[in-house]
Amino acid sequence: MRISCIINGEAQQADDVWEGESLLYVLRERLGLPGSKNACEQGECGSCTVYLDGILVCACLVAAGQAQGRQIRTVEGLSDGDLLAPIQQAFLRAGAVQCGFCTPGLIMAAYDLLQTNPDPAELEVREALAGNLCRCTGYTKILDAVRLAGARMGRP
Ligand code: FES
Ligand code: FES
């Protein structure tokens, strides 16, 4: 089947999509958007997190057909060309990236939190990131990155 949708503001189309394929597969393997990572493919790790019509979802759990006609935003869509979004810059500056497999999903979750709450308490940050697993960092630097990004995004 053919899937047509809007991804990061641009109309995109994928042909010959099998009904059982995930949105994650279509993004990575058919549309050349490898930012969303495939770590567990079971909805457990959050590394494939994307926006689907403005709601965060695990792209590995979304059937490709469900994306038909929808708006999707991936981690690639947070930056403005080569200019990284504040949350992306903050992950780099705080040293919150090691292997990087969890990073796109954590950035999406943190970005979503900071859109509505630029000065979250640590508990709120931990709750917002609870669905995203990191095997490398111990989370401390990830929490630092969210704090740093919140400050840069206009915390009073
Ligand atoms: S790859 Fe989708 S939640 Fe882990
Ligand atoms: S940096 Fe490796 S899993 Fe998080």
Side-chain angles (χ1 to χ4, degrees):
M1 62 181 169
R2 170 177 288 180
I3 303 292
S4 302
C5 50
I6 308 293
I7 302 180
N8 300 330
E10 289 186 11
Q12 297 268 13
Q13 199 166 283
D15 287 317
D16 300 324
V17 175
W18 171 58
E19 285 82 350
E21 272 177 33
S22 67
L23 172 60
L24 180 61
Y25 184 90
V26 171
L27 292 172
R28 289 179 54 83
E29 308 299 335
R30 296 191 183 276
L31 297 177
L33 290 166
S36 313
K37 297 291 179 266
N38 182 358
C40 73
E41 225 173 356
Q42 295 181 3
E44 297 288 344
C45 74
S47 67
C48 62
T49 303
V50 300
Y51 279 113
L52 180 65
D53 286 345
I55 305 290
L56 288 183
V57 297
C58 291
C60 70
L61 295 184
V62 176
Q66 292 178 282
Q68 173 61 34
R70 315 275 295 268
Q71 299 263 355
I72 294 152
R73 193 174 185 195
T74 70
V75 71
E76 288 96 338
L78 298 189
S79 61
D80 181 7
D82 289 340
L83 181 63
L84 296 178
I87 185 64
Q88 294 170 312
Q89 293 177 22
F91 265 67
L92 291 175
R93 289 181 61 188
V97 181
Q98 289 190 28
C99 80
F101 236 77
C102 67
T103 307
L106 279 158
I107 283 177
M108 296 298 283
Y111 176 86
D112 188 64
L113 170 68
L114 294 174
Q115 289 308 295
T116 53
N117 183 2
D119 190 17
E122 180 169 327
L123 200 58
E124 292 173 309
V125 178
R126 287 181 179 274
E127 191 173 348
L129 304 186
N132 295 79
L133 304 182
C134 175
R135 297 273 179 152
C136 305
T137 66
Y139 297 99
T140 300
K141 290 181 185 297
I142 291 169
L143 297 175
D144 291 346
V146 178
R147 266 191 292 273
L148 183 60
R152 295 194 62 200
M153 290 169 71
R155 180 188 302 171

